[in-house]
Amino acid sequence: MTKTFTLDGKVIPFEEGETIMEAAAAAGVYIPHLCHHPEFKPHGSCKLCTVNIGGRLGAACTNRAAEGMKVESETEALNADRRALTQMLFVEGNHICPSCEKSGNCQLQAVAYHLGMLTPHFTHFYPARDVDASHPDVLLERNRCILCELCVRASRDVDGKNVFGIGGRGIKARLIVNSASGRLADTDMSVTDRAAEVCPTGAIIRKRHGFTVPIGQRLYDHHDIAEVPVAGMERPKK
Amino acid sequence: MTKLKVATCSLAGCFGCHMSLLDIDEKLFELVKAVEFDRSPITDIKHCGPCDIGIVEGGVCNAENVHVLKEFRRNCRILVAMGACAITGGIPALRNNVDLWDCFQEVYHYGIGLEKGQIPNDPELPLPFDRVHPINEVVRIDYFLPGCPPPADAIWKFLTDLAAGREPKLDYDMLHYD
Ligand code: SF4
Ligand code: SF4
Ligand code: FES
């Protein structure tokens, strides 16, 4: 017999070892997330996927599903917290969407649209962050980095290159590049690496590909992120 | 029915949001039936008087912007931040990590086609700030209408909702930050 738990009252089947996020995605239920990607080990850092698990708050991407568990996700209170977290991500970086070539295809922006965020609300930090344009094919725009470590995981676990890392702590945390000079050009990063594709924001982008699709015709311009399946998150039906 | 009094202004913005307001096209005729304009680009009123709705485009980049913004807040029952610049600082905020002096040099001395450039220095010019700020960092804002600029339909929906006393609500297609 398949094991199940309930998510907002809906019965969700799962297999032993699966996380709440994995089981929900397989059942076609969207839980807002930014640092999760089905191809990589869970990281649990953005906290956007926080759900109520039988009265206790936990990340859906790191907590395993268990038989009979009662999970709540789509509540006013949880979405208000998610909105506040998203607002903090906006003010901690320099997100100038009108000048960003990722706009319309950006998951941070799409999550904010999904949550109905109308303003970043908090006082902007306007931090000074370096741009690394040294690599011939890949641009590193740290102003847009949300420290999700997807590039770190992709480079380490898929590309086997360890190009990226997070250095510093707290508000001083920043994306660093593993080369003696600290420059991307001095690594073995290639534009065909998985790490070049995986960034949810406009922090890692391929050069000479910006604005190929006009603003207004991009993915999230007309599609809520909840209806766009992330490749690899659906589970083949047995 | 008494007409709603509406004032608008552009601070550190490009007037694109105002152009989008004009883009509501023939609905402008309906709008002027319900609305009377106080300070705005279509009147020649220099100072904002008591109003129902104040719409502010652009962020705060100099002392005069603060002055105008405070005047709007004092006079407007409902204050709306319209567009990316008013809400986040927008494109003008791209200068926030550039030293103001370097910025001036670049624009007035080294700009393409400039010879013997001069940095404007007239006592009548408002004092520039070293950073551009969104307007909610200066006064309390009641509503935010994002976009660069917000689509004409979004502005229309927003204003008609407000005028009818409804909580303004944007459809997914009308909500964007670029
Ligand atoms: S990365 Fe996304 S949220 Fe940040 S500026 Fe670009 S489009 Fe906007
Ligand atoms: S560069 Fe992109 S993928 Fe890497 S940590 Fe920053 S936001 Fe995440
Ligand atoms: S997606 Fe779960 S913490 Fe980021």
Side-chain angles (χ1 to χ4, degrees):
Chain A
M1 223 181 66
T2 13
K3 295 184 173 175
T4 61
F5 67 98
T6 63
L7 178 57
D8 294 326
K10 194 179 167 204
V11 178
I12 309 282
F14 70 95
E15 278 160 23
E16 203 52 56
E18 267 182 345
T19 60
I20 297 171
M21 177 72 82
E22 284 164 342
V29 179
Y30 172 73
I31 299 175
H33 59 272
L34 280 169
C35 71
H36 175 75
H37 191 290
E39 284 173 36
F40 309 107
K41 279 198 208 96
H43 191 239
S45 61
C46 75
K47 295 293 178 266
L48 227 68
C49 70
T50 300
V51 288
N52 190 319
I53 311 165
R56 175 178 66 81
L57 296 181
C61 68
T62 54
N63 277 274
R64 291 195 202 290
E67 177 69 37
M69 156 191 267
K70 282 192 174 54
V71 182
E72 285 180 351
S73 173
E74 278 305 311
T75 70
E76 263 307 311
L78 285 170
N79 278 331
D81 287 348
R82 289 174 182 144
R83 199 154 42 238
L85 288 172
T86 310
Q87 288 170 322
M88 290 179 202
L89 287 173
F90 270 85
V91 301
E92 278 175 20
N94 291 303
H95 290 278
I96 316 248
C97 299
S99 73
C100 178
E101 48 272 65
K102 187 78 171 210
S103 191
N105 293 325
C106 167
Q107 290 173 32
L108 173 63
Q109 191 187 58
V111 164
Y113 291 168
H114 174 80
L115 296 168
M117 183 188 112
L118 298 177
T119 160
H121 175 81
F122 300 106
T123 301
H124 283 70
F125 288 28
Y126 296 125
R129 298 214 192 138
D130 292 337
V131 177
D132 183 342
S134 63
H135 194 283
D137 305 313
V138 181
L139 175 73
L140 207 58
E141 221 306 11
R142 290 188 177 86
N143 289 296
R144 304 168 186 157
C145 176
I146 57 169
L147 304 170
C148 68
E149 284 205 14
L150 276 166
C151 59
V152 179
R153 287 175 274 168
S155 182
R156 182 189 61 211
D157 303 342
V158 180
D159 306 325
K161 291 187 181 176
N162 264 318
V163 169
F164 299 102
I166 303 289
R169 288 187 177 275
I171 200 61
K172 296 218 173 88
R174 67 200 187 284
L175 185 74
I176 53 170
V177 168
N178 291 323
S179 64
S181 63
R183 296 186 336 145
L184 197 57
D186 301 324
T187 66
D188 51 356
M189 169 105 188
S190 139
V191 69
T192 53
D193 287 358
R194 192 72 186 100
E197 288 289 323
V198 80
C199 181
T201 71
I204 300 180
I205 47 172
R206 290 164 69 190
K207 287 187 174 175
R208 295 175 291 279
H209 284 268
F211 304 103
T212 41
V213 179
I215 284 175
Q217 294 172 27
R218 299 176 184 184
L219 184 59
Y220 302 118
D221 286 340
H222 306 288
H223 296 284
D224 191 305
I225 191 166
E227 12 166 296
V228 182
V230 174
M233 274 190 82
E234 326 82 348
R235 188 172 56 182
K237 296 260 171 311
K238 286 206 194 109
Chain B
M1 195 183 93
T2 52
K3 285 190 171 189
L4 280 178
K5 238 184 174 176
V6 176
T8 78
C9 67
S10 177
L11 309 176
C14 71
F15 259 103
C17 296
H18 276 87
M19 299 316 272
S20 197
L21 174 68
L22 290 180
D23 260 350
I24 64 178
D25 298 334
E26 72 277 3
K27 287 193 226 107
L28 278 172
F29 291 107
E30 262 176 74
L31 186 67
V32 289
K33 275 191 232 154
V35 156
E36 185 191 332
F37 281 100
D38 190 84
R39 178 181 162 153
S40 79
I42 34 182
T43 61
D44 194 25
I45 300 171
K46 308 289 186 225
H47 291 279
C48 165
C51 284
D52 297 291
I53 303 175
I55 303 174
V56 182
E57 170 200 309
V60 168
C61 80
N62 63 33
E64 195 231 355
N65 292 158
V66 172
H67 184 80
V68 173
L69 185 55
K70 287 193 167 164
E71 186 176 271
F72 263 66
R73 180 67 279 180
R74 267 200 309 278
N75 283 291
C76 303
R77 200 161 49 81
I78 298 172
L79 200 57
V80 182
M82 170 166 69
C85 302
I87 297 173
T88 70
I91 299 291
L94 282 171
R95 80 153 157 89
N96 280 1
N97 283 303
V98 181
D99 177 80
L100 193 58
W101 184 246
D102 292 346
C103 200
F104 277 154
Q105 300 252 43
E106 192 61 39
V107 173
Y108 294 107
H109 278 159
Y110 310 129
I112 294 168
L114 279 182
E115 270 176 54
K116 292 199 205 114
Q118 278 182 37
I119 293 178
N121 183 23
D122 189 289
E124 280 206 5
L125 291 173
L127 189 73
F129 294 163
D130 61 347
R131 282 184 164 188
V132 180
H133 294 270
I135 61 175
N136 72 316
E137 290 180 12
V138 180
V139 296
R140 177 176 57 78
I141 302 298
D142 300 293
Y143 292 101
F144 297 86
L145 175 52
C148 185
D153 286 343
I155 299 175
W156 174 249
K157 176 77 177 23
F158 214 81
L159 285 181
T160 44
D161 278 353
L162 271 185
R166 285 187 299 265
E167 193 64 23
K169 197 162 169 12
L170 294 180
D171 292 341
Y172 186 88
D173 279 7
M174 291 183 196
L175 172 62
H176 55 72
Y177 304 157
D178 54 22

